[in-house]
Amino acid sequence: MRLATATAAIVLGAVLVAGGDSRSVHAAAGCPVSQVRYDAYGGGDHSMDRTPWLAGRRAGSGLAALLWYWPREWTHPRRRGAAIYTGGEMPQGWSTKVLWAFVGPAQRGRGGRQLTVQGTRLDAPGSFTHRFGAISYGGQRRAPSFASIIDVPKAGCWRLDVSTTKLGASVVVRALTAPAPR
């Protein structure tokens, strides 16, 4: 009985820490999702310092993936595990928009004209590829930057490898199926 109670408490605690979504427990247990950050992303445009973001995996990559789609109900409890909805759209009706910026000093001016996002499913077969053109904006400070809408085709655990001709890194997200309209 004690073991069952302890197990239930651990699972409940994981659900609460993950933002109250039982899918997050599975994501934390079986998918090495990137951790969402709520501090300033380190780029030059301070108007984006409050946007949740992911740090690229690969030491020294300087990649910051700003999650423009991140909903308030995930921000308020400070949901930590990276998640995205399938189909390129959130249940709230907006696009799954990500700004990819390589903000490290060594990356400045090295981005090229195109970013490739190669999605590889980690928990089952599956892949996709998207390509996006470079953008510029005020406060960019020559940080290679690319606006995108990420359209993950199926729910599951996905590694997104992002690369230009000279730069690259990855993030891992849990893709969720949007709930059916009521």
Side-chain angles (χ1 to χ4, degrees):
M1 183 67 169
R2 264 192 202 161
L3 180 58
T5 303
T7 302
I10 290 169
V11 169
L12 179 59
V15 168
L16 293 173
V17 168
D21 185 342
S22 62
R23 290 175 294 208
S24 299
V25 174
H26 180 12
C31 182
V33 294
S34 297
Q35 295 300 295
V36 177
R37 299 192 49 178
Y38 293 93
D39 58 335
Y41 77 104
D45 188 343
H46 296 295
S47 68
M48 293 190 273
D49 281 349
R50 296 184 66 171
T51 304
W53 64 284
L54 307 173
R57 292 181 180 178
R58 201 177 110 223
S61 71
L63 177 67
L66 286 89
L67 308 175
W68 286 100
Y69 65 86
W70 204 253
R72 182 171 291 146
E73 50 276 10
W74 291 355
T75 300
H76 178 67
R78 300 280 196 210
R79 181 181 182 144
R80 292 290 178 188
I84 192 169
Y85 279 92
T86 59
E89 188 173 302
M90 297 295 289
Q92 297 86 342
W94 59 78
S95 299
T96 51
K97 192 180 287 188
V98 178
L99 174 64
W100 307 92
F102 290 89
V103 298
Q107 289 74 19
R108 289 192 181 131
R110 297 182 57 220
R113 294 183 178 183
Q114 182 172 281
L115 178 82
T116 300
V117 178
Q118 176 67 47
T120 303
R121 189 152 176 206
L122 301 178
D123 58 351
S127 66
F128 67 87
T129 302
H130 297 319
R131 289 183 175 76
F132 304 98
I135 65 164
S136 64
Y137 51 89
Q140 182 181 11
R141 290 194 252 173
R142 294 182 42 227
S145 303
F146 305 85
S148 70
I149 295 174
I150 301 299
D151 182 356
V152 180
K154 295 202 180 276
C157 183
W158 291 85
R159 183 183 68 238
L160 306 179
D161 296 306
V162 297
S163 61
T164 69
T165 54
K166 296 181 180 180
L167 303 171
S170 65
V171 297
V172 176
V173 298
R174 170 60 72 185
L176 309 171
T177 302
R182 293 181 183 182

